[in-house]
Amino acid sequence: MEILRRSSSLWVLPILLLCFFINNGVFVDASHKVYMHLQSTTSHVDASKVHRTGYHFQPPKNWINDPNGPMYYNGVYHLFYQYNPKGAIWGNIIWAHSVSKDLINWIPLEPAIYPSKVFDKYGTWSGSATILPGNKPVILYTGIVDANKTQVQNYAIPANMSDPYLRKWIKPDNNPLIVADKTINKSQFRDPTTAWMGRDGNWRILVGSVRNHRGKVIMYKSNKNFMKWTKAKHPLHSAPGTGNWECPDFFPVSLKNKDGLDTSYNGKDIKHVLKVSFDVTRFDHYTIGTYDTKKDKHFPDNTSIDGWKGLRLDYGNYYASKTFFDSGKNRRILLGWANESDTRDNDVRKGWAGVHPIPRKIWLDSSGKQLVQWPVQELETLRKKKVQLNNKKLNKGEKVEIKGITVAQADVEVIFSFASLEKAELFDPSWADLYAQDVCAIKGSTVQGGLGPFGLLTLASKNLEEYTPVFFRIFKAQDKYKVLMCSDASRSSLKNETTMYKPSFAGYVDVDLADKKLSLRSLIDHSVVESFGAGGKTCITSRVYPTLAIFDKAHLFAFNNGAERITIETLNAWSMANAKLH
C-alpha cells in the first residue's frame, strides 16, 4: 500500500494534499482505502512465502487493516479486525474474528460483523468493544449506509452468551444508535471508542471527525441503558490544522505503577491519554493530560505537543491502533496495524496484505511525559535457540556478525555502552524544525559520526547489498544531549520499483545518559523489523522486502560507525518459532 507519507518531510503534505484534491476531487478514506494513484504495476518474483511473517498476526490470505474492539472476556482474548474476504486490496470490509489464550497464538472464527442491514449495507468499519455491567459485551461500530459513504454508529451483541468464543453476533433492528446532525461531516464520522461511565452514571463515547481541517473527537452521552445517545455541547478535544481524526482512543494511566486501569476508572493519581490516528500523516499521535470530568474536556499537559509534531505511539509503519484493559493480568494492551510498503500488484500477486505488530503492554513513564511500550511477555514462549555475546568492543567502522540462530525470524535484545559523551556531534540548529526521520535521512547509518551511529544491521545480505539498520546517534544540543533512533529501510531491498516505500523512520529518545548506556530490542520477522529503544520509550516498526537477505541467506550484525568505541555489554538473540494460526 502506497500512502501519502511517501515524503520524508511532513511539511510537504499540505502540497501533496492540494495536488490530490485537484487531481482526484476528493480525499480517500483514511485507513479504509488504498491510495490508488500511488500504486504501481511493476511486477517481480512472487513473495507469498518469502516475506510472510512467522509470528506476527496475519490471516492466511487477503487484506487486513485496523484491529477492532479487542477485549478480554471470560479468560479469552478476542481480536476483531477489518478484513477483505475477497482479495488482497482494500474493499468488501467485514469484521473478522479470532480468539486466543495468550495474545500470540490465535484461532480464527467465522466473521462477527458484515454488511447485511440497511444501516450497514455499504460497509462495516472500525469500532470498539465495551463490557457492560453484568458482564455483557457490546460492540459499537461504524456502518456505511449509502454510496455517498454516509456514516452512522451501530451496535451488536452476542447471540449466545454461553458460547465461550462468542462466535455469532446480532445487530438489533433499533440501529443506528447515533446519526450525525447537520453540524457534522457525515462522510468523516467514524470509529467509536470503548465507552466509559462517568461519575454521573452516564456512558460516554468518542467518534472521530473533522471540520475545516480541525480534527476533533465528538463526545456522545447515554444513560445506563446504553441505547439513547445525545451529542455533547462540545468535543472532548480538537486541534487546528490536523485534518481528520480516525480511530480515537481515550483511557486512564496510573501515575504510581505500570498496572493498567479499566477505561471507566477515574480515581486519584492518574492521567488520561487521548490517541488519534491522523488521516493526513498516517501516524498515531497522542497527548497526555487531564480529563476534566465536570466540563468533559481533555486538557493536554504543557509537555504534550498537540499536533503533527507531537508524541507518536510508533515512529514507523504503525496505524489505527486500539488499546483494551486486560483484567486477567491487570494491564493495558495496545494493538496496531502495519500495512504493506510494497506495490499493489505485488500484494495481489502474493495474495495477502497487512500484518498486526506484536501486542504491547503500555503504561505511563515515570516522568509522566510519555508512554512506554513493550511486547507482551507471552511472546517469549516462542523463543527457541539462543546465542549470547558479552563485553564485545567495537571500534569505528567495525561490525560483528551474530551467528547460530535463524536471524530472519528472531528476537534480539542488546545493551550498548560507551565510556564518554565527549565525541557526540553538535546538533545542527537548522535541523530544529525537521522531523527526526529527516535527520536520519541526512545522517544515516553509513555517515560516520562521533558517538554513533551504532546498532544492528537486520535482514542483511552477506555482502551488505541489502540491510535494514536500526541504530542510535547521539548529538549535543546546547547543554543537553539528543538521542536519535532510526530504522532505515532505504537500503532494505534491491527492488527498484520507484513506488516502493523505503523510508528512513526515526524518533528521538527521551533518556537519561548518566550511565552511558542504551538498550535496543528488535523483533525481526521476514518483512517486519519492530524495534524498541531504551526499554520501549521509542518504538519504530518497518516493513521491508529483501531479495537476497531471505530465509537462511539473511544475516545479522552489530556495528559501530562512530569515533567513540562502543561496547556490547550483553546481546541475547533467539530464533523464534512460528505462532499458531489454526
Side-chain angles (χ1 to χ4, degrees):
M1 177 178 178
E2 310 294 314
I3 53 181
L4 282 179
R5 62 176 186 228
R6 294 272 162 222
S7 170
S8 63
S9 298
L10 289 179
W11 63 267
V12 301
L13 281 168
I15 298 174
L16 287 175
L17 284 173
L18 179 61
C19 294
F20 186 78
F21 282 129
I22 293 171
N23 293 332
N24 296 271
V26 292
F27 190 73
V28 294
D29 291 308
S31 64
H32 308 288
K33 191 93 170 179
V34 177
Y35 290 84
M36 296 297 194
H37 68 297
L38 290 175
Q39 299 292 355
S40 168
T41 57
T42 306
S43 62
H44 63 76
V45 177
D46 172 48
S48 60
K49 295 182 180 179
V50 173
H51 297 130
R52 187 170 178 84
T53 62
Y55 60 93
H56 283 74
F57 178 83
Q58 58 180 139
K61 61 181 181 179
N62 298 336
W63 166 278
I64 66 167
N65 54 285
D66 312 8
N68 295 325
M71 66 177 181
Y72 177 78
Y73 182 73
N74 288 351
V76 176
Y77 295 103
H78 293 259
L79 171 61
F80 307 94
Y81 53 96
Q82 299 275 276
Y83 178 66
N84 180 0
K86 297 182 179 181
I89 61 174
W90 184 91
N92 314 301
I93 294 299
I94 66 173
W95 277 49
H97 184 195
S98 293
V99 293
S100 174
K101 291 285 189 178
D102 61 7
L103 289 168
I104 300 299
N105 301 287
W106 295 89
I107 301 171
L109 304 176
E110 54 266 41
I113 301 173
Y114 47 87
S116 64
K117 301 277 190 174
V118 65
F119 48 78
D120 64 11
K121 180 180 178 180
Y122 287 79
T124 52
W125 288 2
S126 295
S128 304
T130 301
I131 298 177
L132 302 179
N135 201 32
K136 298 177 181 179
V138 59
I139 284 173
L140 295 175
Y141 72 97
T142 296
I144 313 303
V145 301
D146 57 33
N148 295 323
K149 297 179 182 174
T150 299
Q151 296 161 23
V152 299
Q153 314 313 319
N154 301 320
Y155 80 105
I157 55 177
N160 180 7
M161 294 289 291
S162 64
D163 176 7
Y165 288 167
L166 303 178
R167 290 174 174 86
K168 186 177 180 180
W169 290 75
I170 296 172
K171 297 179 290 186
D173 289 335
N174 63 328
N175 276 302
L177 288 183
I178 299 174
V179 177
D181 63 27
K182 62 183 180 180
T183 68
I184 295 171
N185 183 337
K186 296 181 180 180
S187 65
Q188 292 179 310
F189 176 61
R190 53 180 171 262
D191 310 335
T193 63
T194 297
W196 73 95
M197 182 178 284
R199 291 176 176 173
D200 58 4
N202 293 328
W203 290 99
R204 290 157 171 81
I205 64 166
L206 304 175
V207 181
S209 190
V210 64
R211 187 171 189 180
N212 297 325
H213 305 292
R214 187 182 190 96
K216 59 182 178 178
V217 279
I218 304 170
M219 176 180 283
Y220 287 84
K221 300 180 183 180
S222 172
N223 57 13
K224 293 181 180 180
N225 69 12
F226 211 76
M227 290 293 107
K228 186 176 180 180
W229 293 86
T230 304
K231 191 178 77 164
K233 293 181 180 179
H234 50 71
L236 177 83
H237 190 58
S238 65
T242 51
N244 189 39
W245 286 5
E246 291 196 297
C247 304
D249 200 6
F250 188 60
F251 55 91
V253 286
S254 173
L255 288 166
K256 293 293 187 180
N257 52 53
K258 299 179 181 180
D259 290 345
L261 299 172
D262 181 84
T263 307
S264 294
Y265 182 87
N266 197 23
K268 296 180 179 180
D269 299 319
I270 65 169
K271 289 285 188 179
H272 270 79
V273 175
L274 174 61
K275 187 243 64 172
V276 292
S277 299
F278 285 1
D279 196 3
V280 178
T281 67
R282 307 291 291 186
F283 291 121
D284 279 7
H285 298 249
Y286 71 93
T287 56
I288 297 169
T290 300
Y291 173 35
D292 187 324
T293 58
K294 293 182 180 179
K295 297 180 179 180
D296 271 325
K297 294 282 286 185
H298 172 70
F299 295 97
D301 294 344
N302 59 13
T303 55
S304 278
I305 297 174
D306 204 0
W308 288 8
K309 286 199 171 182
L311 294 164
R312 300 181 197 166
L313 288 178
D314 189 296
Y315 290 82
N317 190 335
Y318 194 93
Y319 193 69
S321 63
K322 177 64 184 170
T323 69
F324 70 97
F325 176 58
D326 176 4
S327 59
K329 293 193 174 180
N330 204 30
R331 57 186 177 176
R332 182 158 288 271
I333 300 296
L334 171 70
L335 300 172
W337 165 51
N339 66 334
E340 300 302 310
S341 297
D342 207 346
T343 64
R344 177 177 182 266
D345 281 359
N346 286 340
D347 292 345
V348 171
R349 190 172 292 110
K350 70 191 179 190
W352 55 268
V355 303
H356 284 180
I358 295 300
R360 304 171 182 178
K361 179 180 176 180
I362 187 169
W363 66 93
L364 185 65
D365 181 60
S366 58
S367 69
K369 296 179 181 180
Q370 70 166 96
L371 296 173
V372 181
Q373 304 163 61
W374 199 246
V376 293
Q377 188 175 7
E378 291 91 330
L379 178 65
E380 297 173 16
T381 63
L382 298 183
R383 288 174 171 175
K384 298 302 179 184
K385 186 177 182 181
K386 178 183 177 182
V387 294
Q388 189 170 6
L389 187 64
N390 295 311
N391 199 32
K392 174 65 178 178
K393 312 293 184 182
L394 291 178
N395 292 313
K396 180 179 178 180
E398 289 186 341
K399 65 180 185 295
V400 58
E401 183 168 6
I402 312 305
K403 298 181 179 181
I405 62 168
T406 304
V407 298
Q409 191 169 312
D411 183 357
V412 186
E413 294 191 57
V414 57
I415 297 175
F416 298 100
S417 67
F418 37 89
S420 172
L421 291 163
E422 291 181 1
K423 293 181 181 179
E425 303 165 79
L426 292 178
F427 187 80
D428 190 328
S430 68
W431 300 341
D433 293 329
L434 298 180
Y435 288 83
Q437 62 193 46
D438 301 319
V439 179
C440 179
I442 296 168
K443 289 283 190 177
S445 64
T446 61
V447 179
Q448 293 186 346
L451 188 45
F454 59 86
L456 300 173
L457 304 178
T458 72
L459 295 175
S461 58
K462 182 178 181 180
N463 297 317
L464 297 185
E465 299 94 338
E466 294 178 330
Y467 59 96
T468 300
V470 184
F471 61 94
F472 298 109
R473 198 167 193 133
I474 302 175
F475 299 96
K476 187 172 184 180
Q478 296 178 341
D479 59 346
K480 62 180 181 179
Y481 294 94
K482 291 179 72 74
V483 178
L484 179 71
M485 176 179 164
C486 299
S487 181
D488 187 358
S490 62
R491 293 179 172 85
S492 61
S493 178
L494 292 178
K495 295 178 184 178
N496 60 5
E497 290 101 333
T498 57
T499 53
M500 179 172 285
Y501 188 34
K502 296 191 286 187
S504 301
F505 284 136
Y508 292 107
V509 189
D510 186 5
V511 60
D512 184 357
L513 295 175
D515 62 357
K516 301 180 180 62
K517 294 180 181 180
L518 279 170
S519 68
L520 176 65
R521 182 179 183 184
S522 287
L523 305 177
I524 306 162
D525 197 3
H526 301 284
S527 63
V528 177
V529 180
E530 190 177 355
S531 300
F532 303 81
K537 286 193 168 187
T538 298
C539 309
I540 307 176
T541 299
S542 290
R543 297 300 311 280
V544 295
Y545 308 92
T547 62
L548 301 176
I550 59 176
F551 301 127
D552 60 354
K553 297 296 193 296
H555 298 261
L556 173 68
F557 302 91
F559 77 99
N560 176 29
N561 274 339
E564 177 70 33
R565 185 168 68 176
I566 299 300
T567 299
I568 300 173
E569 288 205 353
T570 60
L571 184 150
N572 295 302
W574 295 264
S575 296
M576 296 293 283
N578 287 334
K580 295 178 181 178
L581 296 172
H582 297 290

